[in-house]
Amino acid sequence: MINLIESRSPQAPADLVASFPAAGEAGVQAAVRLAQAVQHDWASRNAAARATALSRAADAVEGAADELAALVVREVGKPITEARGEVARSVSILRYYAQQVFDPAGAVHEPSGAGLLFTRRRPLGVAGLITPWNFPLAIPLWKAAPALAFGNTVVLKPAPQALACALRLAELIDLNEFQVVPGDAEEGAALVETADVVSFTGSAAVGALVRQAAVRRGVPVQVEMGGQNASIVLPDANLEAAAAQIAAAAMGFAGQKCTATKRIITVGNGEEVREAVLAAVAKLGFGDPSDPGTAIGPLIDEAARDRVVDAAANAVAAGGRILTGGRIPGGLAGEGGSGGWYVEPTIVDGLPADHPLACEEVFGPICVVQDAASVDEAVALANGVRYGLASAVYTGDLDRALDLSARLDTGLVKVNAPTSGVDFYLPFGGEKDSSYGGREQGKAAQEFYTSTHTITIGPAG
């Protein structure tokens, strides 16, 4: 029996975007063997040849920008403005790594005796990439582009919900060194068991399994997982600007980003912050993701929508208060959700710090307001979860900004900027249960996708 991998439009679930046979374990193994067969030749090409290949891929993606943005909207429900931004970012990633191939691949050192002593980086082989659906172009490329730039070949296993985007991306890149294997958990596990280096982005539960399997094999692995990101609003913050950024970071793309704000921590200004954030959320466009005015579209599927609704209900049952949202909008969702997997943007307060909604990531447009009596208490609240991906501090006091940026246990600390949003030319990753292994993106990617060899050459005779 053929196992079909299907993706459906979250705003119109009857719309079948892609259907493709799952690769299965044998298919993954075959793809890895092919990648191994061409890897030596790819790594042997000079830097200019690899740069040219990546530049051509960038040109192809840029030339298909409108088509790709529309596909991202259709397949994952990302609002069109964000989808266009993701396509532009994807082009920039390819162009950036097309130039990184010319970076030094090692260093010459003074020898302890006569001769020559130097280091040189070499590719690791086949990079097995397992990617989520929420950034269906950018995340595959911020993994694949550096892997290819530094001489590796790539086998990509995308999330089933983003299959069409991945397949179209492979067509545009048009390299034997870049392959896509359709599948789900079986194919992901098979790739982890066969690749020479593994990069994963997804849930903490699956990431832990990926990490364990790769470590058992002794291959390099990086896993980027969830976040329970806090935005701390100090009394001297520009409240209107902070509220607008927090609302967008918490609710944009229906909160389906690992860097989305999940907790708003007030410091002696709780009522003012609530009022400002609620007003900012109310201004966000909600509905059809193809509408340029939309900021909040559907959830990726029914189960994701139901998790948000259930989380809101459980919060109320625990004594919490819903300040806004928590419901399925009948007009957008249609009868029985047939019109799409929408849920209203939701803000909750009145929960204890150890409540699951305050501690564990719910991947959707829902966040918690927590009140702190002091800056120290705010930092303790922000750090008091198992995740450590991103945090934000809103203040006009530079001393406070520097102090908190040194005390928050997150890989990304933003000051007067939203928790969401990543610069592709800087290292990306978190602390604690948010990340494991080397950082992604920027110059850090070369360190992950290569190994350093030390070479000593003595005089003959």
Side-chain angles (χ1 to χ4, degrees):
M1 182 178 177
I2 297 176
N3 180 25
L4 289 177
I5 299 298
E6 294 184 347
S7 75
R8 292 182 176 274
S9 179
Q11 60 269 24
D15 177 15
L16 180 63
V17 183
S19 178
F20 211 85
E25 182 179 358
V28 172
Q29 292 172 346
V32 171
R33 285 194 299 269
L34 176 58
Q36 290 170 335
V38 300
Q39 190 269 326
H40 177 73
D41 175 68
W42 174 252
S44 298
R45 298 185 194 183
N46 61 36
R50 279 180 274 128
T52 297
L54 289 174
S55 294
R56 286 175 177 166
D59 291 342
V61 172
E62 187 173 42
D66 290 343
E67 172 204 343
L68 287 171
L71 182 58
V72 170
V73 172
R74 181 186 175 201
E75 186 166 43
V76 303
K78 179 166 287 191
I80 183 61
T81 301
E82 284 204 44
R84 288 173 180 152
E86 181 173 348
V87 175
R89 180 181 179 186
S90 299
V91 174
S92 296
I93 289 168
L94 286 164
R95 296 205 193 286
Y96 175 80
Y97 284 108
Q99 295 305 305
Q100 292 305 298
V101 301
F102 299 110
D103 270 14
V108 177
H109 298 262
E110 288 294 329
S112 55
L116 177 64
L117 181 64
F118 64 97
T119 61
R120 186 172 186 178
R121 288 190 171 275
R122 297 182 188 172
L124 295 171
V126 177
L129 312 180
I130 302 172
T131 57
W133 50 264
N134 58 335
F135 288 86
L137 304 177
I139 291 182
L141 285 177
W142 85 43
K143 296 177 187 291
L148 291 166
F150 304 125
N152 303 276
T153 50
V154 166
V155 177
L156 168 67
K157 204 295 291 179
Q161 300 95 326
L163 178 59
C165 286
L167 292 173
R168 184 63 181 126
L169 194 59
E171 290 175 350
L172 292 167
I173 291 175
D174 192 26
L175 289 172
N176 289 333
E177 293 80 11
F178 180 90
Q179 300 176 71
V180 173
V181 287
D184 205 342
E186 176 187 353
E187 288 74 15
L191 188 55
V192 174
E193 291 295 334
T194 50
D196 300 307
V197 54
V198 175
S199 182
F200 166 91
T201 299
S203 71
V206 178
L209 298 176
V210 170
R211 178 187 67 212
Q212 293 165 9
V215 169
R216 185 180 66 248
R217 291 185 58 223
V219 300
V221 60
Q222 62 185 185
V223 290
E224 296 297 340
M225 299 171 284
Q228 190 66 357
N229 313 301
S231 289
I232 300 174
V233 186
L234 299 184
D236 68 329
N238 180 327
L239 196 50
E240 183 178 359
Q245 291 185 10
I246 290 169
M251 306 303 176
F253 188 27
Q256 298 174 119
K257 302 173 186 176
C258 60
T259 54
T261 296
K262 297 300 177 185
R263 295 176 294 152
I264 304 166
I265 301 177
T266 75
V267 184
N269 54 356
E271 290 308 311
E272 295 91 337
V273 171
R274 283 168 173 78
E275 181 179 342
V277 172
L278 287 169
V281 169
K283 293 177 182 177
L284 296 175
F286 177 47
D288 180 0
S290 66
D291 183 339
T294 294
I296 309 169
L299 278 292
I300 190 64
D301 55 30
E302 183 177 16
R305 182 203 63 185
D306 291 348
R307 280 192 289 271
V308 175
V309 175
D310 291 345
N314 290 338
V316 171
R321 177 178 59 155
I322 294 180
L323 301 180
T324 188
R327 298 180 300 269
I328 297 171
L332 286 170
E335 188 66 30
S338 61
W341 310 121
Y342 291 89
V343 65
E344 295 174 348
T346 305
I347 299 177
V348 179
D349 72 356
L351 293 175
D354 61 353
H355 187 274
L357 187 56
C359 297
E360 296 296 330
E361 183 181 46
V362 176
F363 213 57
I366 185 168
C367 68
V368 175
V369 180
Q370 298 174 298
D371 296 317
S374 66
V375 171
D376 288 342
E377 184 181 345
V379 171
L381 274 174
N383 289 341
V385 296
R386 67 188 182 105
Y387 297 104
L389 184 55
S391 57
V393 178
Y394 290 92
T395 180
D397 186 329
L398 179 59
D399 289 339
R400 285 289 195 197
L402 293 173
D403 175 47
L404 268 66
S405 66
R407 295 166 62 191
L408 290 167
D409 296 338
T410 55
L412 305 175
V413 180
K414 309 284 194 74
V415 177
N416 298 323
T419 58
S420 60
V422 176
D423 293 310
F424 62 84
Y425 47 87
L426 293 176
F428 172 71
E431 303 296 329
K432 300 188 281 190
D433 282 356
S434 286
S435 298
Y436 176 88
R439 292 294 195 239
E440 294 196 273
Q441 305 194 81
K443 301 287 187 181
Q446 185 188 44
E447 298 176 10
F448 178 69
Y449 287 110
T450 61
S451 62
T452 298
H453 296 251
T454 300
I455 300 164
T456 305
I457 300 178

